[in-house]
Amino acid sequence: MREPRGAFDFIVVGAGPAGCATATRLATLKPDASVLLVETGPAKSGMRSDVPLGIATLVPFRNARNYSYRTVPQAGLGGRRGVQPRGRGLGGSSLINAMIYTRGQPEDYDDWARLGATGWAWRDVFPYFLRSEHNTRGADAWHATGGPLTVSDLASPSDCTRAFIEAAAQCGHSFNPDFNGASQEGVGAYQVFQQHGRRWNAARAYLTALAPKNLTVLAETPVARVAIEDGRATGIACANGGSYAARAEVVLAAGAFGTPQLLMLSGIGPAAHLRELGVAVHRDARGVGANLQDHVDFVISRKVDDRGLFGTVPGILPQVLRAIGPFRRGTGLLTGNVAEAGGFLRTRAELARPDIQLHLCIGIVDEHSRRLHAARGLSLHTCVLRPHSRGSVRLASANVRAAPLIDPAFLSDPRDMETLIAGVGLARRILAAPAFARYAGPALYDAETDDEVRLREIIRRHADTIYHPVGTCRMGSDANAVVDPELRVRGVAGLRVADASIMPTLISGNTQAACAMIGERAAEFLACG
Ligand SMILES: Cc1cc2nc3c(=O)[nH]c(=O)nc-3n(C[C@H](O)[C@H](O)[C@H](O)COP(=O)(O)OP(=O)(O)OC[C@H]3O[C@@H](n4cnc5c(N)ncnc54)[C@H](O)[C@@H]3O)c2cc1C
């Protein structure tokens, strides 16, 4: 490592929801310590991110705020390479995500504790969800106000969302006004990370709004590796040649792909794999990059000629332009998050809790909207909440700028296909209910076929992620766990991980809120030393 250009007490790498929470809370808890937060992406969020409907333009392809990774060929998906959008910049994936606020199910965290993540049961994590939350509905037994993450109801939900909830009720699924309340089960509209109809990304929440003076934020700075001397993390080396020393600790919060990539580039990972790439091994840690879990998802998209729906049609531009005025007042089309409504359902009555999640989108989402159709339409996503398939992240190159090899191993466990098929059946019944008759239309790829053999084939040809990769630096108490329950990397002093990668198992819902909760907890562990 070259002479450090600067020394800080703590260095946090990666400014996603977890990194922003870790850095800000740590700086607040330790006002006499200096904290550096380093992010490879841009400092500004940009208009397409701030305007919620801009998600439709940010997710499909690579841009300054989206890595848009591809997976390795997926045997379970007929050999296709999946798409893995990931946010880049201050706010991380909260710059490009669908803003949906869910915490998962209490049992998810009780499972973590049972698997060895001591101190992470629901009763332990719930206070940190509350600490991070500012719910504009107000506080109650399940919600808080005053936290940095503003959570709101959608300002202008579409008629389609209302019809969907009614159609689900006709199929016997109860309306749930609060997926983060007493029960997650049922169908309803999602609450979103928004303030006055604008995206409230994690950087705005934690960095801009709280802005502790002892926190230095550095954007456009890719970290190449952690410097390790005599078994201790001493700082970071950046890909642009700079370096920074950490007097106390380094924290990796670079996400489910970025963190294992950085650990491996720093010589912490499966030794044989690191040697293949010429990376000097500091610690043979087989768990690094293993245990990748993601929500495998199948979309039914229909072409529906309804002006309340979105699509690449000639009339859409004037409609968007007319929506600018209402947007300034915090309402209208542009405040929509596309994935407005959804639900958590059980595919079998004997199950104790929901095992699939639905997302209703008010546009056609074909291959993450990479494939466009000259039509308005809608999409209903079905995903498997607790998949059994396990994949991996490996290095493709010793250069941090090269994308890692991502293998979610989708549908490699046959149980996931069975859950998905059953879930798609539930979704289809809702789409066929009388209250949804107004939204009838031809389904892409014959996705509403009654022939189950054919449906399995269609699923293999079109299923992919709904963007919740986790687990690649698993937390636990066993020797193969990458981090211990206080998030310390086993076998390396002064180094922790705080992001989606530490989740032992994937939670039953969207993952941003849980990542902020992890960051909130990490800050306390760090402050206690
Ligand atoms: C398209 C999409 C839609 C989603 N929708 C939702 C939703 O509606 N609701 C929800 O709850 N969740 C959603 N998610 C998931 C959620 O956004 C993520 O789970 C969450 O952001 C993960 O947080 P994180 O802090 O672990 O990592 P990330 O948010 O991925 O942030 C990691 C940060 O680290 C930076 N980084 C990586 N490597 C380096 C390096 N070498 N040097 C410096 N910086 C580095 C990255 O640039 C990035 O900014 C969605 C995700 C996507 C991609």
Side-chain angles (χ1 to χ4, degrees), residues 6 50 108 405 421:
D50 293 345
D108 296 330
L405 298 173
I421 278 275

Side-chain angles (χ1 to χ4, degrees), residues 16-333:
C20 288
T22 305
T24 292
R25 293 303 203 193
L26 175 60
T28 310
L29 285 168
K30 288 188 83 81
D32 296 331
S34 56
V35 180
L36 173 68
L37 174 62
V38 191
E39 164 60 46
T40 189
K44 290 210 166 92
S45 52
M47 190 183 70
R48 289 195 293 157
S49 174
D50 293 345
V51 177
L53 199 68
I55 183 180
T57 69
L58 279 174
V59 171
F61 295 103
R62 192 181 165 88
N63 57 67
R65 291 175 188 80
N66 183 356
Y67 291 89
S68 197
Y69 289 136
R70 302 302 300 262
T71 71
V72 302
Q74 296 295 287
L77 305 183
R80 274 183 302 127
R81 294 175 68 208
V83 177
Q84 285 281 348
R86 283 289 93 192
R88 193 176 169 277
L90 299 185
S93 295
S94 75
L95 292 168
I96 66 165
N97 72 14
M99 294 157 267
I100 295 168
Y101 180 61
T102 67
R103 301 168 181 158
Q105 299 166 359
E107 294 89 337
D108 296 330
Y109 303 94
D110 292 342
D111 283 347
W112 287 11
R114 220 178 358 262
L115 290 167
T118 312
W120 289 80
W122 174 249
R123 66 170 182 279
D124 304 309
V125 301
F126 181 46
Y128 296 88
F129 280 109
L130 294 180
R131 182 177 298 181
S132 61
E133 179 183 14
H134 173 72
N135 203 307
T136 56
R137 285 185 189 173
D140 62 19
W142 294 96
H143 295 283
T145 54
L149 291 171
T150 300
V151 175
S152 312
D153 291 316
L154 274 174
S156 306
S158 66
D159 288 348
C160 185
T161 278
R162 284 183 267 270
F164 174 73
I165 293 168
E166 210 184 314
Q170 288 174 341
C171 297
H173 306 300
S174 53
F175 168 59
N176 189 341
D178 182 6
F179 294 125
N180 302 297
S183 165
Q184 190 200 46
E185 190 161 6
V187 168
Y190 289 118
Q191 282 205 291
V192 287
F193 296 107
Q194 285 188 11
Q195 195 178 76
H196 308 307
R198 283 167 198 257
R199 180 190 291 270
W200 191 245
N201 72 56
R204 194 151 283 159
Y206 280 97
L207 305 182
T208 316
L210 300 180
K213 288 204 167 42
N214 51 334
L215 171 64
T216 305
V217 180
L218 209 55
E220 313 264 7
T221 308
V223 174
R225 64 186 170 84
V226 179
I228 298 170
E229 287 164 30
D230 300 327
R232 177 171 196 92
T234 56
I236 54 167
C238 303
N240 56 15
S243 56
Y244 297 88
R247 284 184 284 262
E249 297 205 44
V250 174
V251 186
L252 297 183
F257 303 140
T259 289
Q261 182 185 27
L262 267 178
L263 280 176
M264 288 189 272
L265 290 173
S266 311
I268 304 159
H273 173 57
L274 300 188
R275 286 196 191 103
E276 262 170 19
L277 288 149
V279 177
V281 178
H282 280 291
R283 183 172 164 77
D284 182 11
R286 274 178 298 158
V288 173
N291 193 47
L292 173 60
Q293 297 162 55
D294 196 358
H295 285 143
V296 65
D297 179 89
F298 178 69
V299 195
I300 298 174
S301 292
R302 280 181 178 178
K303 292 185 180 176
V304 184
D305 190 15
D306 182 290
R307 278 189 61 80
L309 300 173
F310 201 63
T312 34
V313 291
I316 202 72
L317 190 60
Q319 204 178 340
V320 166
L321 292 176
R322 277 196 305 277
I324 292 173
F327 175 69
R328 293 206 176 105
R329 298 187 294 277
T331 63
L333 177 73

Side-chain angles (χ1 to χ4, degrees), residues 362-432:
I362 58 153
I364 293 175
V365 183
D366 186 8
E367 213 197 311
H368 312 272
S369 299
R370 292 160 75 92
R371 198 172 294 161
L372 294 180
H373 298 263
R376 293 184 195 263
L378 59 87
S379 302
L380 186 54
H381 291 253
T382 307
C383 76
V384 178
L385 281 176
R386 290 179 297 283
H388 294 278
S389 302
R390 298 286 183 270
S392 65
V393 175
R394 293 282 174 256
L395 295 177
S397 145
N399 182 348
V400 73
R401 295 184 204 266
L405 298 173
I406 298 166
D407 180 8
F410 281 135
L411 301 180
S412 57
D413 188 308
R415 289 172 289 182
D416 295 347
M417 176 59 111
E418 298 318 308
T419 304
L420 193 52
I421 278 275
V424 171
L426 294 176
R428 284 189 49 198
R429 279 197 279 287
I430 298 174
L431 290 174

